Amino acid sequence: MARYAMVIDLDRCTGCRACMEACKVENNTPQAHFWMYVFRFEEGEYPNTRVWFMPRPCMHCDNAPCVKVCPVGARYKRPDGLVATDFDRCIGCRYCEVACPYGVNYFNWKKPERNHYIDWTDREAGAVLDPVTNGAVPPYKNPDLEKPYGPERRRIAGGGHLKGVIEKCTFCVHRVERGQQPACVANCPLYALHFGDLDDPGSRVSQLLRRRPHFRLLEEAGTQPRVYYLGGKPPGEESRQIEAVRARV
Amino acid sequence: MRAFLTRLMVLAGLVFAATSFTLGLRLPIPGVPQLTAAPTGLPGEIPYLPVFFILGIMLMFLSAVVYELVPGGRNASPPVRPRPR
Amino acid sequence: MVTQVQPIPYGVGRFSAALVLVILLLLAVIAGGVYALYTQLTEGLVVTGLRDIGTMGGSAWGLYIAFDVYFVGVSFAGITTAALVRILNLHHLRAVSRMAELLTIISLILAAFSVLPDLGQPLRGIIYLFKYARPQSPFFGTFTMVIAGYLFASLVYFFLDGRRDAALCARRAGRLQWFYRLWASGYRGTAEERERHDRASFWLSLAILPVLVIAHSTLGFVFGLQVGRPGWFSALQAPAFVILAGVSGVGLLIVIAAIVRRVLGAHDRLTPEVFRWLGNMLMVLVAAYLYFMVVDWLTATYAAPSHEARISRAIYFGRYAGVYWTSVAALVAAFVLQFRQFMRQRYELSRIVLAGVLANVAAVGKRMLIVVPSQTHGALLPYPPGTYSPTWVEYGIILGLFGLGTLMYVVFSKIFPIIELPEEGVEG
């Protein structure tokens, strides 16, 4: 059984946020949902400032608080390490969201046709887009996201399926099960993101972790995250975001 | 009759509640094969366990109603005639 | 069997114009709540002020959860009063015991109704909680113990305790005679039956007490076990929840008892003795809760980690300072009011009622302060602080719930005596 993890090289990340874009397109996440988010930090006072960037996917913790608190077992840990959300089971209580120390959960506050970037019930937009998208609704809809995955056959991929359920980064389970890399990893122009099997000593992630010092976020919380950071340091009191996030629905 | 029924309900309720709670925890005891419930997501997930838990507790409290309502038992008062000494 | 000419006391079956007006008003409030709920069910939870924690800068739990906790807290009153009457033989509290039990039952129903709008998928929630609820989740304890234990046990207690009065009411012909007969279930008032009832009630009250503690404690655990939320993660949450439950429950019971006394003119049953006792109980519970608040405050300000300090700053001096200091002032005022009466041994009903009101104002504020600041200001990663402002939908649903609870209370008091009938019964 594989033991998946992600390794993020902070020395390479330039904060371009291509990973955020790729994740959004691949997973059809709704407005203001950032399953992959990149912090842009500034430290120090001008002219002695340091600017650095930190991608933050879901940590897929081994001791995940979100899995522990889910009342109905919609949020669960797979044997390969991925923490998945079954959107057929989720009742939308948002307990996993308040329990997560990393703030990676996003709730579908709106109904799907208002939630995505285009209202596809709008006839005029449809007339323009249909020839291009061949009728796919929403226009960029990924057909893999409706299918069940894993030996447990649960529907855990993609976002914005229905209102009133929670979702988060899935490590692109629909791609990983086909042997591909998550969209963020595959699209990073600087090879700052890596994904692979920790149980395979020859995999990229295993090699990187052997060679370079690394840390994980909020280790003291005891969550045992599966996302490792190379280089750099964890954000502290002195790290402030360059601009406030204005992504609110 | 009444005492027996009351005790039975309390005991049955306790057993229901304790069993469904323990089964719901799905503790991975080494050597014990995990129960599988086919259509639901996870191995060992038994549907409607919470209902049995709730029923178990309700049963325990219902025994009080049985105790008060069910006639019979050694100290039941006869309806009209006093018992001859 | 001679049909009694005298009516059942305590306003049963009597409707005045004022009462009809009150009922219409309550129905209007409930209708507003239903409309708000409909809006939310069709549009989604976006119509509330709730938003995601983290990048969205919001609070995922708000008014609904705060009032769910408040209603579960208020339900403390009933079983405590019943337990005090049965286990400690405080017979002068018997006059309020039915009011208290009814308060428990209604507030637990309101608590369940308060959580349902918070769920993104309420219908799924009902079915799947019964089908798949996991004991590892603190929600399991709250959900099952509140419904199965607390609510059901209170209903059983209420049913058994009301049989005697139901039998008395069943002696007159009327539209509800079938109802009274059903409730009475063959009660004949023999000495042996009374003795059996005393024993059953004793054991029932004793058995409900651990259920009460478990229900309130698991509710505290919902918050207290979350390592990811500074401000919540504390061993103090569970016991503090139990004590604040007592404060709000006893406080509300005092208010209800005073209203019943005024409206029904039951000065002979709801004596100053009763209110003195309830007032003193409130005083002790408020003192205990103030102690918890002081401990909390000292711990937070002495050597708190930076994340908790940020929350404390927001609560004591920042965005939530208004709510916090109002709640503290209300609690301290409630305590001082009661303490002065206690020291002088001179009790005034209006002061005791005021203390009850203040205690509940503080309880509502405190519940909000438990739920919201740790989400808007308690991020462990450097997200900017968030905001939360409830919308008309949330206020509408909560007000609708209060209206529903009040309506249930009023309607019940019109079909069954809200105060235990005196020993001699209604025949005089």
Side-chain angles (χ1 to χ4, degrees):
Chain A
M1 193 76 248
R3 201 157 62 96
Y4 290 122
M6 187 180 280
V7 172
I8 300 178
D9 193 342
L10 293 175
D11 289 339
R12 280 178 170 261
C13 178
T14 58
C16 70
R17 291 179 164 168
C19 50
M20 280 174 68
E21 194 73 43
C23 169
K24 202 158 250 306
V25 171
E26 178 69 32
N27 291 293
N28 297 169
T29 56
Q31 300 170 19
H33 283 207
F34 297 121
W35 291 10
M36 170 58 101
Y37 177 68
V38 180
F39 285 95
R40 287 173 170 169
F41 292 126
E42 179 186 69
E43 291 169 3
E45 296 300 319
Y46 183 81
N48 307 308
T49 55
R50 175 179 171 245
V51 172
W52 60 285
F53 314 97
M54 189 179 83
R56 181 233 72 201
C58 166
M59 302 287 143
H60 294 267
C61 310
D62 281 338
N63 188 24
C66 61
V67 170
K68 279 193 262 195
V69 301
C70 179
V72 292
R75 179 64 62 86
Y76 65 102
K77 177 103 177 146
R78 289 164 37 123
D80 61 1
L82 270 48
V83 173
T85 318
D86 181 355
F87 58 83
D88 287 325
R89 179 79 76 87
C90 178
I91 63 174
C93 68
R94 305 187 298 290
Y95 199 179
C96 54
E97 179 172 7
V98 301
C100 176
Y102 303 97
V104 306
N105 289 281
Y106 293 93
F107 184 71
N108 282 301
W109 301 98
K110 299 183 183 175
K111 40 190 188 184
E113 54 267 29
R114 301 265 178 93
N115 214 2
H116 287 280
Y117 290 91
I118 304 174
D119 178 4
W120 66 84
T121 57
D122 179 358
R123 294 251 156 256
E124 289 172 14
V128 171
L129 291 167
D130 269 352
V132 177
T133 63
N134 208 24
V137 167
Y140 46 90
K141 193 175 165 106
N142 184 344
D144 291 332
L145 304 175
E146 296 290 326
K147 304 187 189 130
Y149 288 96
E152 65 269 12
R153 311 313 299 154
R154 296 174 92 172
R155 297 207 296 164
I156 53 182
H161 295 281
L162 63 158
K163 73 166 155 68
V165 296
I166 273 260
E167 57 198 29
K168 63 166 186 66
C169 157
T170 58
F171 271 174
C172 286
V173 58
H174 57 285
R175 290 174 60 98
V176 168
E177 289 207 355
R178 282 199 300 252
Q180 294 174 304
Q181 302 257 283
C184 52
V185 175
N187 280 283
C188 176
L190 296 144
Y191 299 106
L193 303 173
H194 307 272
F195 181 84
D197 182 2
L198 287 177
D199 280 344
D200 172 11
S203 70
R204 180 123 273 228
V205 291
S206 302
Q207 291 177 9
L208 282 169
L209 291 178
R210 270 203 307 270
R211 281 189 214 141
R212 296 179 55 186
H214 49 271
F215 68 90
R216 294 178 296 182
L217 286 178
L218 302 179
E219 300 229 32
E220 63 278 7
T223 49
Q224 317 271 2
R226 287 273 184 106
V227 174
Y228 294 81
Y229 291 87
L230 304 173
K233 60 167 188 62
E237 286 293 298
E238 68 283 3
S239 319
R240 46 182 192 277
Q241 290 212 70
I242 292 176
E243 77 262 321
V245 184
R246 278 190 293 268
R248 219 174 140 112
V249 290
Chain B
M1 175 63 198
R2 186 203 308 136
F4 167 73
L5 206 55
T6 312
R7 283 197 201 116
L8 178 69
M9 285 175 80
V10 172
L11 207 59
L14 202 60
V15 166
F16 264 33
T19 315
S20 45
F21 188 87
T22 320
L23 280 177
L25 289 174
R26 285 187 288 129
L27 297 167
I29 308 168
V32 175
Q34 292 264 286
L35 301 148
T36 46
T40 67
L42 297 165
E45 215 174 33
I46 305 170
Y48 299 112
L49 269 185
V51 175
F52 282 101
F53 182 76
I54 292 174
L55 278 177
I57 300 189
M58 283 187 176
L59 212 57
M60 285 197 275
F61 283 112
L62 269 177
S63 65
V65 178
V66 162
Y67 181 71
E68 277 207 35
L69 256 52
V70 169
R74 277 187 297 272
N75 51 355
S77 49
V80 181
R81 271 178 305 140
R83 220 180 274 132
R85 290 211 171 264
Chain C
M1 184 88 5
V2 183
T3 336
Q4 296 302 317
V5 184
Q6 292 147 320
I8 305 176
Y10 306 130
V12 175
R14 287 202 299 275
F15 289 81
S16 66
L19 181 68
V20 173
L21 207 63
V22 164
I23 291 182
L24 286 175
L25 189 68
L26 290 173
L27 284 171
V29 169
I30 295 173
V34 170
Y35 176 66
L37 184 63
Y38 171 76
T39 310
Q40 191 181 282
L41 287 174
T42 44
E43 293 299 316
L45 279 155
V46 67
V47 296
T48 65
L50 302 164
R51 293 294 181 267
D52 288 321
I53 301 173
T55 56
M56 230 187 258
S59 179
W61 280 355
L63 225 59
Y64 297 139
I65 297 289
F67 274 96
D68 169 50
V69 177
Y70 172 76
F71 285 131
V72 174
V74 161
S75 67
F76 186 100
I79 193 50
T80 316
T81 317
L84 286 174
V85 170
R86 291 287 167 192
I87 299 174
L88 297 182
N89 286 316
L90 295 175
H91 292 288
H92 45 266
L93 283 182
R94 285 190 89 110
V96 286
S97 61
R98 184 163 304 144
M99 268 182 265
E101 291 155 34
L102 188 62
L103 180 63
T104 293
I105 292 169
I106 290 179
S107 63
L108 286 174
I109 295 174
L110 292 185
F113 283 1
S114 187
V115 161
L116 286 179
D118 191 61
L119 299 179
Q121 295 271 336
L123 207 57
R124 258 195 203 180
I126 300 173
I127 301 172
Y128 284 167
L129 276 172
F130 281 109
K131 204 170 171 187
Y132 295 121
R134 297 170 57 243
Q136 289 94 337
S137 171
F139 261 359
F140 179 88
T142 310
F143 165 68
T144 54
M145 291 315 268
V146 164
I147 292 182
Y150 217 170
L151 179 57
F152 187 73
S154 301
L155 280 168
V156 165
Y157 189 93
F158 196 62
F159 167 72
L160 292 174
D161 218 37
R163 284 176 69 215
R164 172 186 161 269
D165 285 3
L168 290 170
C169 293
R171 290 188 194 185
R172 72 212 56 251
R175 271 184 306 227
L176 287 176
Q177 195 178 29
W178 61 272
F179 170 67
Y180 299 130
R181 283 229 184 97
L182 196 63
W183 189 330
S185 305
Y187 186 82
R188 271 164 311 176
T190 61
E192 186 262 336
E193 257 183 336
R194 272 199 296 262
E195 191 205 325
R196 230 189 313 155
H197 174 66
D198 281 340
R199 214 177 307 134
S201 307
F202 176 84
W203 286 106
L204 204 50
S205 336
L206 207 59
I208 297 183
L209 281 176
V211 171
L212 173 152
V213 171
I214 293 177
H216 281 115
S217 300
T218 46
L219 198 54
F221 287 149
V222 166
F223 300 88
L225 296 179
Q226 299 322 311
V227 68
R229 286 261 86 72
W232 281 7
F233 188 59
S234 157
L236 218 59
Q237 292 281 18
F241 267 56
V242 178
I243 300 288
L244 192 56
V247 168
S248 50
V250 175
L252 202 52
L253 182 61
I254 290 174
V255 173
I256 292 176
I259 294 176
V260 166
R261 182 175 190 262
R262 168 68 73 91
V263 167
L264 297 180
H267 302 272
D268 52 325
R269 301 300 305 289
L270 297 173
T271 59
E273 172 82 5
V274 171
F275 286 98
R276 184 175 70 83
W277 232 99
L278 289 175
N280 285 339
M281 197 155 70
L282 182 67
M283 177 183 74
V284 170
L285 289 167
V286 169
Y289 196 71
L290 281 170
Y291 168 67
F292 273 93
M293 285 181 91
V294 167
V295 168
D296 209 29
W297 174 76
L298 281 173
T299 313
T301 48
Y302 186 84
S306 57
H307 300 289
E308 274 151 43
R310 195 178 306 140
I311 299 174
S312 307
R313 266 200 306 275
I315 294 178
Y316 301 143
F317 312 113
R319 207 183 146 73
Y320 303 105
V323 181
Y324 181 74
W325 292 112
T326 311
S327 303
V328 171
L331 270 179
V332 170
F335 176 74
V336 166
L337 265 172
Q338 282 303 123
F339 190 65
R340 285 179 59 185
Q341 294 181 79
F342 173 74
M343 290 306 276
R344 295 183 192 163
Q345 285 298 307
R346 242 193 8 239
Y347 292 86
E348 240 183 73
L349 182 60
S350 54
R351 293 208 186 121
I352 302 178
V353 171
L354 183 61
V357 170
L358 288 170
N360 271 280
V361 165
V364 170
K366 202 65 184 60
R367 299 304 191 191
M368 282 297 287
L369 287 171
I370 290 170
V371 172
V372 178
S374 280
Q375 295 179 77
T376 55
H377 289 75
L380 287 172
L381 291 184
Y383 298 109
T387 56
Y388 168 60
S389 293
T391 59
W392 69 271
V393 169
E394 294 166 273
Y395 287 125
I397 291 180
I398 297 294
L399 278 173
L401 284 174
F402 272 104
L404 182 66
T406 314
L407 186 66
M408 287 197 280
Y409 216 95
V410 167
V411 166
F412 182 84
S413 68
K414 287 297 150 194
I415 64 175
F416 203 83
I418 194 72
I419 306 177
E420 240 180 53
L421 296 174
E423 278 303 314
E424 304 77 49
V426 292
E427 297 100 281

